[in-house]
Amino acid sequence: MRILQATSSPFRHVRVLAGLLMAMALFLIPAARPPATQALGKIIDQQNISNTGTVQSEAPQISIGGGVIGTSWGERTELTNGKVGTDTTAIGTPFPSPTFFNVFGTKVAFQWPDTAMDASGNMHVAYIEGNSIYYKIKPKGGSLSSPRFVANSDFPNPVRIAVGGDGTIWVVWRNSSGSSVFYKRSNDGVKWTNGSDGGIVATEGGNMASPDVAVGPDNIAHVSWYDVGGTYRGEVRIADWNGTKFSTSSATTDGGGDATYDADPAITVDPQNTLHAVWRKKLNANGTNWAIYYARRPAGSGWQNYTNIAITNGDAKYQPEIGTDQASNLYVTYSTPLNANQRQVIFWGKTPTGQWDGPLPLPLVGWDSRSAVTGSNGDAHILYQTEKRSDQGEIQYVRVAFASSASIGATPKIDGGSPNNRDPLSVSFEGVSGDPKEIRWRWGAAPSDAASDSNGWQTFTNPISIGLPANIDKTVCQNLTLFTQVRNGTLVQTTASQVSLQFDKEAQANVVVENPFLAGLPKATGAQTSDPYTSATDGAYDGDPGYTRMPQFFLSITNNNDCSGLASFIVPASSTSDVISNGSYEKRVTLPQGSFPNPGTKMRVDVVVSDRLGNITNYPNDIIYDPANTNQNGTPNTDGLPVLANGGSVAADNVNSIIRKLTFQNISVNDTVYGQFENLPAGRQFWGAWIANSTTPVANPNSANLQWFPVHVPTPGASFTLTWNLFNGIAPDQRTTGTYYIYVKFLDGAGNATVNTLPAAQAQLSAGFSVPTLYLTPITK
Amino acid sequence: MNSLRHWIPRAAALLALLAALAACGTAPTAQSQSGTVGDARPAENSALDQDLLRQVDAQIAAGKARGDDVSSAQDLRDSAVSLAQKGSAAEANGNLKLAAQLVGVLRPLGDAPTAAPAKPIARAPKPAASGDEQGTTLLDAKFDTDQAIAGWELVGPSIPDGKPLWKVVDGTLMQQGVEGVITSDEQTGLVTGDPSWRDVTVRVSALARDTRELGVIVRQQGQSFYRFRALVFGTGTNQGNLILEKVVDGNATQLASFDGPELNGDTWYTLAVSARGSTLRCYVNGKLVGSADDATLSAGRAGVSTLAMNGAFFTNLQVIGR
């Protein structure tokens, strides 16, 4: 071992040399390559929205307006016929099954449709059938309209659509040869017009390809395309609406050289009215390397910020796409090859003041090619065509959270819908974002630290059981609103979500159980007004509602503001049940105890009503059975009839009018049942009088075929008066001057009549008798 | 003094090692990678960035000296200068920044690796014989100059976007999409020869890069011919990737589908179809994959087919028979 020879420290030289070497190492070895910037984007939703199996779904387009996402694409079912697929959904909710409609004479491989949403959430669709362009509108929450003709053209391919904030719809397309790009516009989707240019954006003769259209916040339309050949070969061309026609310019002027050829521009306009364009730029003669290129044109300025976003891993092949949102964030998508069998769609985003962030590879299916992108509130909404197998394309939807502020939320939904009778309720959540861990809720207002019905924050589950407000009257149908708020640690939902429902816990009905012989009951139940006295058990068509003289009662059920509607009823004691149609029911029903109930008894009649939610409510009623025959199982009798004591009288006044006042005196009527429950004293046990007229005196009113009319006596007593019409029961041809004989019986509450009759009262009608316009209407059977 | 003699050579060796390490990492390495293509350059909208131009020129020169393909960077650089002279400074600086990225002066956005220029297409190996080549060599196309395909005829459906472009590139026949820039899913073919060719074997070396199928045409008359298609992006199974079709007046009918996997990309295959009487036989790399009988077409020219989406390469196209 050599020994270091030093005059001072033997290791000094070594230390110095080592130090120098280390310093030089630090100088010479370059700083580590800066780590790749992490893309801000995070995929938060993904869905195959076409699901057409082996049919080729292709060329998707996407737009957002009024919180609704609108999509369209082509379905290549046949060589020259096909379908257009469309779908819409509110942001944050899954797409439902798409809507398809046929297109005839269309080469779907080239004649692609397009969609645009307006600020009200209506979807506008432009599509092609053969040589004609058509338009449809799908109002928010509605269905696609019938087709409206836009224009004829020589094999338009493709068609693009945009809607301005003023509601003007712009449609552009190229023709078969690409000699021109055309346009039409409309304010109503029905009448389509053009400016002073005959509907031609530009004619450039160099095969104008890939037209696109966008409308700025100033409602100025901008169109882009590129020229495959000709004067503007390989240039990105732009046309701007000047009020009467389009004026053209170039965004790129570097010609169509091997490394400068620009193709397939796509444009968008942000809320600051800056026009943004993205296109693919060929980097070599054979087109085996392309750049995805971007530039922008602020309002009133020229094109600037030309930026290469990415260089594809081979042939870019397909048009890149660009979108923006309310905050002027930008989103770009394009397809790049991975290997011979796979292509992947890539996403980049940019905030207004930041750099382009990416790349974010989107979920790979197979040959992922044509894409479309738009944005809302910092999220990019993307569609792209995917093929796992050749010519079996599907349309994939992906949502990327790019610049959205961290948010958390969940939209409540009442399980079972509205109206609802569950108590407690089961509440599910849709559009869940931000991974909530806790929830609180409150009825009628947003929950707060000071007020909640959840007793503060509870563990979030989906679904969750939530009790009804503590102080509501559950017997009535009512509208309730539930407010919910979720959180995850310090990230709290900014504004509570809410959902409303009709709560219906009971079957709300009006139930009437009453005398089936009451006046005014529907004729369908057999009610009448007057009738002849044919026997002792013959009774009147009126009486106390709480009585019946036969083993039946009248049942009426009507809706009393039940939210869901009445469905059916049961009278268990009567073994009777039926459906309730159109909200009401009316019929005679057998009394409990069947055909031979106990006379003189007050019977409980429970009517159990159900509504369409399955709520069951019991309506208890009573009715008193008071037949004429009190011996239901043996020899019939008439012990149930009221009895008129002798000594009473009735007299008519002398007014020469058909309307007479009858004065009763010394009236005494007793009944074995009526009055017992009402505590009517003896002699006062009657409900009313049963009165008949005759123009001739009759020996026996019981067999004279007189028409008897029930008249209620509100306060039974020995003396009282009634108003009476002499023409009641009198045939019209007999209503003349002369003497009228008035016969009176008395009725109990069930309408049973006294056998005896008061001595007849007489009334004279002389010539010139008056017939008042308002009087007791004479009624004949 | 002896200690210095001991350590100086050792230090020099260590320095050399450190220098070598410094040269590692990404290549090409510029003298300074100052920013990304997304960074705004000084006076970007009003004047060409002369500092960046110098850096780009230096790296282009260095690349040429190494034998690198810097043609794209050169074109963009030249375009930038031309644009600046015409007053389009913003567009000029955009192209210059892209050129700078290609030669490593500027980093790409997101520091994503810049895709290397496409590798040259490897030379095709000698075509695999099938044993079915009977008769004389009627055609032996070499694709050495553009004139090699003079008079060749396009077959296939008309495409609204333009005409499929076939070019001779570095000794191969290359399909370059529609008009050289547009991607289409439509079939395209290029044929030549004698319409009286009857019993022939058509054999070609074919390679797919960024395209989905390669094919051979036999007995072509107008828009009628037989076509053997080998899929690169197919079914993902062993079925449905090798298809024999009859095209009559432009309408294709499948005559047979043979078992076999999808072709690999960037790989040379020998594809062949022989037509003898009414029997058609299809071969991949000299191996018979299947046959079918059809008497519709009895004679015609020969050629190749693919999709009009760029990325199919053919060479060694031969027609043997009578």
Side-chain angles (χ1 to χ4, degrees):
Chain A
M1 184 178 83
R2 287 181 182 269
I3 298 173
L4 289 170
Q5 311 237 342
T7 55
S8 53
S9 164
F11 298 107
R12 182 168 175 272
H13 291 146
V14 174
R15 288 198 297 272
V16 169
L17 193 55
L20 283 172
L21 288 173
M22 282 168 57
M24 294 185 77
L26 287 171
F27 180 73
L28 282 178
I29 296 178
R33 193 177 178 79
T37 304
Q38 290 294 320
L40 292 179
K42 179 185 172 188
I43 295 170
I44 59 174
D45 201 359
Q46 182 182 345
Q47 182 184 355
N48 176 346
I49 70 170
S50 58
N51 270 309
T52 49
T54 57
V55 175
Q56 171 81 340
S57 305
E58 60 188 350
Q61 298 292 345
I62 191 169
S63 178
I64 287 179
V68 179
I69 308 171
T71 65
S72 69
W73 63 90
E75 290 284 327
R76 203 190 300 187
T77 55
E78 298 174 18
L79 200 59
T80 54
N81 295 317
K83 294 185 179 185
V84 171
T86 64
D87 211 347
T88 60
T89 191
I91 294 175
T93 57
F95 281 91
S97 297
T99 300
F100 299 99
F101 60 89
N102 294 319
V103 286
F104 300 99
T106 303
K107 289 199 88 173
V108 176
F110 307 102
Q111 297 181 295
W112 299 321
D114 192 15
T115 184
M117 301 294 295
D118 64 31
S120 300
N122 306 310
M123 181 171 78
H124 306 259
V125 178
Y127 65 97
I128 303 164
E129 280 197 304
N131 291 326
S132 300
I133 297 169
Y134 290 92
Y135 161 88
K136 291 191 180 195
I137 183 171
K138 178 182 180 293
K140 184 176 182 179
S143 303
L144 272 172
S145 71
S146 55
R148 288 100 183 256
F149 174 78
V150 176
N152 282 326
S153 191
D154 174 25
F155 197 79
N157 72 98
V159 65
R160 300 301 301 265
I161 187 171
V163 182
D166 61 354
T168 302
I169 310 161
W170 297 81
V171 169
V172 303
W173 66 95
R174 71 183 282 270
N175 59 356
S176 175
S177 64
S179 60
S180 300
V181 171
F182 302 86
Y183 78 97
K184 285 286 186 191
R185 61 182 188 151
S186 174
N187 294 324
D188 57 7
V190 176
K191 188 177 172 196
W192 294 85
T193 62
N194 46 255
S196 61
D197 47 21
I200 298 176
V201 175
T203 297
E204 297 186 335
N207 190 4
M208 304 160 73
S210 296
D212 193 10
V213 61
V215 182
D218 55 0
N219 299 312
I220 299 295
H222 309 274
V223 181
S224 67
W225 68 91
Y226 77 105
D227 283 17
V228 179
T231 305
Y232 303 105
R233 178 175 183 271
E235 292 186 10
V236 173
R237 301 283 290 154
I238 300 292
D240 307 299
W241 180 252
N242 66 9
T244 57
K245 62 179 184 176
F246 283 93
S247 58
T248 59
S249 60
S250 287
T252 64
T253 57
D254 53 359
D258 286 346
T260 57
Y261 192 106
D262 301 312
D264 283 335
I267 56 173
T268 191
V269 187
D270 71 20
Q272 270 66 54
N273 208 19
T274 296
L275 181 61
H276 303 269
V278 67
W279 62 91
R280 57 186 179 115
K281 191 180 196 70
K282 198 163 110 168
L283 294 182
N284 60 18
N286 296 330
T288 51
N289 275 112
W290 292 76
I292 305 300
Y293 220 62
Y294 161 84
R296 70 187 192 119
R297 189 188 74 185
S301 299
W303 286 94
Q304 54 191 252
N305 295 115
Y306 291 80
T307 304
N308 173 48
I309 293 177
I311 295 177
T312 56
N313 190 33
D315 189 351
K317 284 201 190 306
Y318 302 100
Q319 182 174 28
E321 292 287 347
I322 190 166
T324 187
D325 66 12
Q326 302 90 329
S328 299
N329 297 306
L330 293 175
Y331 310 104
V332 165
T333 55
Y334 60 92
S335 172
T336 189
L338 299 181
N339 51 52
N341 306 79
Q342 292 180 313
R343 296 187 65 92
Q344 188 164 32
V345 174
I346 308 296
F347 166 83
W348 287 74
K350 180 182 178 306
T351 60
T353 55
Q355 286 261 17
W356 284 99
D357 269 297
L360 176 67
L362 298 186
L364 176 68
V365 176
W367 188 280
D368 301 349
S369 55
R370 298 180 178 90
S371 63
V373 62
T374 187
S376 181
N377 293 322
D379 288 349
H381 298 261
I382 302 161
L383 292 184
Y384 54 102
Q385 173 183 338
T386 66
E387 288 170 79
K388 205 166 183 179
R389 300 286 175 259
S390 181
D391 291 337
Q392 293 182 14
E394 298 279 13
I395 306 300
Q396 189 85 339
Y397 164 77
V398 168
R399 178 178 178 183
V400 175
F402 174 71
S404 45
S405 52
S407 65
I408 190 168
T411 302
K413 188 183 85 159
I414 305 295
D415 295 337
S418 176
N420 200 299
N421 65 350
R422 297 181 195 178
D423 181 16
L425 293 168
S426 175
V427 180
S428 298
F429 295 89
E430 296 175 330
V432 180
S433 64
D435 192 23
K437 299 295 185 193
E438 293 177 295
I439 181 173
R440 62 184 181 185
W441 62 85
R442 186 179 174 197
W443 291 98
S448 65
D449 291 342
S452 69
D453 290 311
S454 55
N455 196 25
W457 293 99
Q458 305 300 327
T459 302
F460 175 80
T461 61
N462 190 4
I464 192 169
S465 179
I466 292 181
L468 291 169
N471 57 350
I472 62 167
D473 179 1
K474 296 180 183 178
T475 65
V476 300
C477 181
Q478 57 199 290
N479 293 320
L480 301 174
T481 300
L482 175 68
F483 289 79
T484 63
Q485 188 180 31
V486 294
R487 75 177 182 184
N488 182 337
T490 58
L491 181 62
V492 183
Q493 183 177 359
T494 308
T495 304
S497 302
Q498 63 185 71
V499 61
S500 294
L501 74 148
Q502 277 187 321
F503 181 72
D504 181 15
K505 190 65 180 169
E506 288 197 351
Q508 288 90 5
N510 291 319
V511 176
V512 173
V513 170
E514 64 185 7
N515 188 336
F517 294 100
L518 290 181
L521 289 183
K523 288 208 180 289
T525 63
Q528 299 173 226
T529 303
S530 67
D531 68 330
Y533 182 87
T534 57
S535 73
T537 57
D538 197 4
Y541 283 92
D542 208 347
D544 189 309
Y547 282 78
T548 180
R549 65 176 180 270
M550 62 186 296
Q552 285 183 337
F553 63 91
F554 176 76
L555 175 62
S556 166
I557 304 173
T558 54
N559 190 327
N560 185 20
N561 294 319
D562 187 280
C563 296
S564 61
L566 302 181
S568 63
F569 77 93
I570 300 174
V571 181
S574 299
S575 299
T576 298
S577 64
D578 209 339
V579 296
I580 300 174
S581 302
N582 300 320
S584 66
Y585 180 88
E586 289 178 331
K587 206 168 187 181
R588 281 190 181 185
V589 179
T590 305
L591 279 177
Q593 305 176 25
S595 298
F596 301 102
N598 294 328
T601 56
K602 178 182 282 192
M603 297 182 192
R604 175 66 169 256
V605 180
D606 287 327
V607 181
V608 182
V609 180
S610 301
D611 66 11
R612 293 203 176 104
L613 275 180
N615 294 313
I616 296 174
T617 304
N618 180 41
Y619 291 87
N621 293 268
D622 298 310
I623 195 163
I624 299 166
Y625 181 48
D626 183 13
N629 172 25
T630 61
N631 188 15
Q632 298 278 297
N633 292 318
T635 305
N637 62 29
T638 57
D639 293 350
L641 296 177
V643 177
L644 174 63
N646 292 328
S649 66
V650 58
D653 63 7
N654 294 322
V655 174
N656 191 23
S657 167
I658 66 171
I659 304 302
R660 296 301 180 93
K661 184 169 80 174
L662 302 179
T663 300
F664 295 80
Q665 290 187 339
N666 297 322
I667 303 300
S668 174
V669 180
N670 290 310
D671 191 88
T672 56
V673 176
Y674 188 72
Q676 310 310 313
F677 296 95
E678 299 80 7
N679 294 318
L680 292 177
R684 309 289 178 259
Q685 294 168 349
F686 61 97
W687 171 82
W690 208 17
I691 307 173
N693 290 324
S694 176
T695 54
T696 57
V698 299
N700 184 358
N702 290 350
S703 59
N705 201 32
L706 301 177
Q707 292 290 320
W708 296 86
F709 292 81
V711 180
H712 182 43
V713 177
T715 308
S719 302
F720 57 90
T721 61
L722 293 174
T723 301
W724 178 242
N725 186 337
L726 295 181
F727 282 175
N728 281 346
I730 301 299
D733 61 346
Q734 295 180 19
R735 294 176 185 173
T736 61
T737 57
T739 301
Y740 286 77
Y741 299 88
I742 303 164
Y743 299 90
V744 181
K745 293 178 178 287
F746 290 89
L747 303 169
D748 66 12
N752 295 307
T754 58
V755 175
N756 293 343
T757 309
L758 286 175
Q762 294 184 27
Q764 290 292 326
L765 266 186
S766 304
F769 62 83
S770 67
V771 180
T773 53
L774 290 176
Y775 60 91
L776 297 175
T777 308
I779 302 167
T780 56
K781 193 172 180 177
Chain B
M1 199 58 119
N2 285 337
S3 64
L4 288 176
R5 277 202 293 271
H6 172 79
W7 284 106
I8 284 174
R10 286 163 176 75
L14 184 55
L15 284 171
L17 174 61
L18 292 174
L21 287 173
C24 289
T26 59
T29 304
Q31 286 188 342
S32 68
Q33 281 192 340
S34 50
T36 74
V37 291
D39 297 333
R41 305 300 300 181
E44 184 174 82
N45 293 334
S46 55
L48 188 63
D49 188 328
Q50 295 299 319
D51 179 57
L52 186 63
L53 179 63
R54 276 191 291 274
Q55 293 183 60
V56 169
D57 283 344
Q59 289 307 310
I60 288 176
K64 284 180 180 174
R66 290 191 298 270
D68 297 340
D69 178 4
V70 292
S71 57
S72 297
Q74 183 74 64
D75 285 347
L76 287 162
R77 177 267 178 210
D78 293 343
S79 140
V81 170
S82 172
L83 286 167
Q85 290 169 348
K86 288 189 277 190
S88 299
E91 188 181 358
N93 281 309
N95 283 6
L96 184 62
K97 287 195 290 184
L98 176 52
Q101 180 187 339
L102 291 176
V103 293
V105 173
L106 292 176
R107 300 195 311 276
L109 285 178
D111 282 313
T114 300
K119 293 183 301 184
I121 299 294
R123 197 172 184 80
K126 189 178 174 187
S130 62
D132 198 9
E133 296 85 355
Q134 302 169 30
T136 57
T137 300
L138 304 171
L139 175 73
D140 187 7
K142 292 299 183 194
F143 307 117
D144 43 7
T145 68
D146 288 344
Q147 292 306 307
I149 58 173
W152 289 44
E153 184 180 329
L154 274 176
V155 293
S158 74
I159 299 173
D161 296 324
K163 277 178 58 176
L165 179 64
W166 292 81
K167 283 185 72 173
V168 172
V169 176
D170 295 332
T172 68
L173 172 64
M174 181 185 180
Q175 205 294 314
Q176 293 191 342
V178 176
E179 305 289 347
V181 289
I182 299 169
T183 296
S184 173
D185 297 342
E186 294 293 290
Q187 291 281 341
T188 182
L190 197 66
V191 295
T192 189
D194 192 333
S196 66
W197 288 344
R198 293 179 61 83
D199 295 332
V200 297
T201 296
V202 182
R203 185 176 70 192
V204 69
S205 299
L207 176 148
R209 172 180 285 182
D210 279 343
T211 191
R212 288 162 48 144
E213 67 176 67
L214 303 165
V216 182
I217 291 174
V218 68
R219 288 191 179 171
Q220 174 267 339
Q221 303 266 6
Q223 293 294 337
S224 301
F225 44 86
Y226 295 110
R227 176 171 59 203
F228 172 45
R229 299 167 55 204
L231 305 187
V232 182
F233 177 67
T235 65
T237 68
N238 210 42
Q239 285 83 39
N241 301 309
L242 302 171
I243 303 165
L244 178 62
E245 291 179 336
K246 170 178 66 178
V247 180
V248 176
D249 294 330
N251 297 311
T253 306
Q254 183 172 299
L255 294 175
S257 175
F258 310 123
D259 287 349
E262 299 160 329
L263 301 188
N264 293 323
D266 264 341
T267 304
W268 284 105
Y269 290 85
T270 303
L271 302 179
V273 60
S274 77
R276 302 263 185 268
S278 62
T279 300
L280 301 145
R281 296 185 179 83
C282 299
Y283 300 87
V284 177
N285 286 346
K287 182 179 165 194
L288 177 69
V289 296
S291 65
D293 288 317
D294 187 87
T296 308
L297 306 171
S298 57
R301 298 187 292 176
V304 293
S305 73
T306 182
L307 301 181
M309 61 164 50
N310 190 27
F313 297 83
F314 303 91
T315 191
N316 299 325
L317 174 62
Q318 291 180 312
V319 178
I320 302 129
R322 62 180 176 84

